[in-house]
Amino acid sequence: MKRILISGYNSYIGNHFRKKYKKKYKIITYKEDINNISKFKLFTKAKKIDFFINFASLSRMQCNVNKKLCKKTNFLSIKKIINHFNTLKFKPNFIFISSSHVYTNSSNKIREGDKKKPGNLYGKLKLNSENYLKRNYKKYCILRLFNVYGKNQPENFFIPDINKKIKLQKEIRLNKSIRDFIHVNDVVKILNFIIKNNINDTINVGSGYGKLLISVVKMVSAKNKIKPLVKTTNKKDKLIANINKLRSIGYKSKIDKINEKNFNI
């Protein structure tokens, strides 16, 4: 049985992964502050770990509020963990949870090799962590997640934020953006595939389908049976994953696009 250490065990994706695969893998949860590298070193030094998945991260919105803590958590902690793993006799595979925010908008579906141009601090720190990992560690897989959604998603994500605004009858400001949404259940299945096949690469994790944000707002509105207060602009941008690489390494399971049937809040 593979031994998997996870940080951010109680995060949205981390919690789903742990619950689904706790019988398949020996999942070890690190419950301390990921920024305390001394405690992390003590916790991991005597353990033989096959994989480390870093779920611990501040969200984009949290990064906007506390830039100093964001840098500390989303980049400096990653750097310290990599340096520590390089001192170990048994070096775990590092699965880094990155983001589509490392890219810039594109009229075409985005490939892993396309231009990186983060438009916010969150994306910049994810890209910094990716680059440090690539330069300083051999056993890694970088997963660039697009817009994750699912039931009971916490605040600081697009859909819960929209849901809250609709219920409170607050104005929702949107442009004509198109985004790629992927269900959390598909994300954890892909994680399992990466572990099972010991993949070392940089991979987009999305559905490969685009959805107008205003359409998502309408779905949330329909669930609540409350008409939203929406103000839109004519600005258009698009961010959709090209998932050819994911398919080329052997992932064959269907990834559904967000729709009225699989959508929940």
Side-chain angles (χ1 to χ4, degrees):
M1 183 179 282
K2 291 179 180 177
R3 296 169 62 85
I4 301 172
L5 174 64
I6 63 173
S7 65
Y9 74 99
N10 211 26
S11 65
Y12 187 62
I13 302 170
N15 196 31
H16 274 77
F17 176 81
R18 179 171 55 87
K19 287 180 178 179
K20 187 171 180 64
Y21 294 108
K22 61 185 177 182
K23 292 182 180 179
K24 182 173 183 176
Y25 302 118
K26 173 65 176 176
I27 297 178
I28 305 162
T29 56
Y30 183 70
K31 299 180 180 181
E32 301 292 337
D33 183 358
I34 199 67
N35 292 309
N36 191 329
I37 192 63
S38 298
K39 284 188 176 181
F40 186 82
K41 285 179 178 179
L42 287 173
F43 188 85
T44 55
K45 202 164 189 180
K47 291 181 173 65
K48 187 177 182 299
I49 302 162
D50 297 302
F51 288 85
F52 171 66
I53 309 176
N54 184 68
F55 291 115
S57 175
L58 267 65
S59 70
R60 179 174 59 88
M61 292 181 184
Q62 289 169 327
C63 284
N64 291 339
V65 174
N66 194 332
K67 292 179 173 59
K68 186 176 181 180
L69 182 60
C70 182
K71 183 178 180 180
K72 187 178 180 182
T73 306
N74 289 19
F75 173 58
L76 296 179
S77 70
I78 303 300
K79 186 177 178 181
K80 290 174 183 177
I81 290 169
I82 292 165
N83 292 344
H84 166 59
F85 282 167
N86 276 323
T87 69
L88 301 179
K89 183 178 180 181
F90 298 103
K91 296 175 175 58
N93 282 280
F94 194 133
I95 298 178
F96 180 64
I97 306 299
S98 190
S99 168
S100 61
H101 284 280
V102 303
Y103 299 116
T104 188
N105 297 317
S106 173
S107 57
N108 300 313
K109 291 185 178 182
I110 295 174
R111 298 177 182 272
E112 289 82 356
D114 286 350
K115 185 178 180 180
K116 315 301 177 299
K117 191 178 179 183
N120 52 57
L121 179 63
Y122 176 80
K124 288 175 184 177
L125 294 176
K126 285 292 187 183
L127 185 58
N128 287 348
S129 295
E130 282 190 18
N131 291 336
Y132 192 85
L133 183 59
K134 289 176 180 178
R135 289 195 302 265
N136 295 283
Y137 204 66
K138 293 181 179 179
K139 298 166 68 177
Y140 69 84
C141 187
I142 295 167
L143 301 180
R144 292 180 180 147
L145 272 55
F146 282 66
N147 294 61
V148 180
Y149 73 98
K151 192 174 182 179
N152 299 322
Q153 195 172 25
E155 292 184 11
N156 298 317
F157 289 88
F158 178 74
I159 291 175
D161 180 56
I162 292 300
N163 187 46
K164 184 177 180 180
K165 286 180 177 178
I166 288 173
K167 287 181 176 179
L168 295 174
Q169 284 290 277
K170 289 187 175 181
E171 186 178 74
I172 299 167
R173 294 175 177 269
L174 290 175
N175 54 30
K176 296 179 180 178
S177 296
I178 297 173
R179 293 292 181 268
D180 186 329
F181 287 84
I182 181 167
H183 199 279
V184 65
N185 291 343
D186 286 315
V187 174
V188 298
K189 285 178 187 176
I190 292 168
L191 268 167
N192 174 57
F193 172 82
I194 296 298
I195 293 165
K196 182 181 176 182
N197 294 280
N198 200 21
I199 303 296
N200 286 271
D201 211 330
T202 301
I203 301 163
N204 285 338
V205 177
S207 67
Y209 299 101
K211 190 77 172 178
L212 275 164
L213 294 185
I214 188 62
S215 298
V216 178
V217 171
K218 288 177 180 178
M219 285 194 291
V220 178
S221 172
K223 289 280 185 181
N224 286 301
K225 296 181 179 179
I226 302 172
K227 188 176 180 180
L229 303 175
V230 181
K231 186 175 182 179
T232 58
T233 67
N234 289 323
K235 182 182 176 183
K236 297 179 181 180
D237 56 55
K238 188 186 293 186
L239 201 62
I240 306 171
N242 181 311
I243 58 171
N244 286 350
K245 183 185 276 192
L246 179 63
R247 294 306 190 191
S248 72
I249 60 174
Y251 189 77
K252 297 180 180 179
S253 298
K254 184 180 179 182
I255 302 174
D256 291 323
K257 56 184 175 182
I258 188 170
N259 58 58
E260 288 78 5
K261 292 181 180 179
N262 68 6
F263 178 84
N264 47 38
I265 51 178

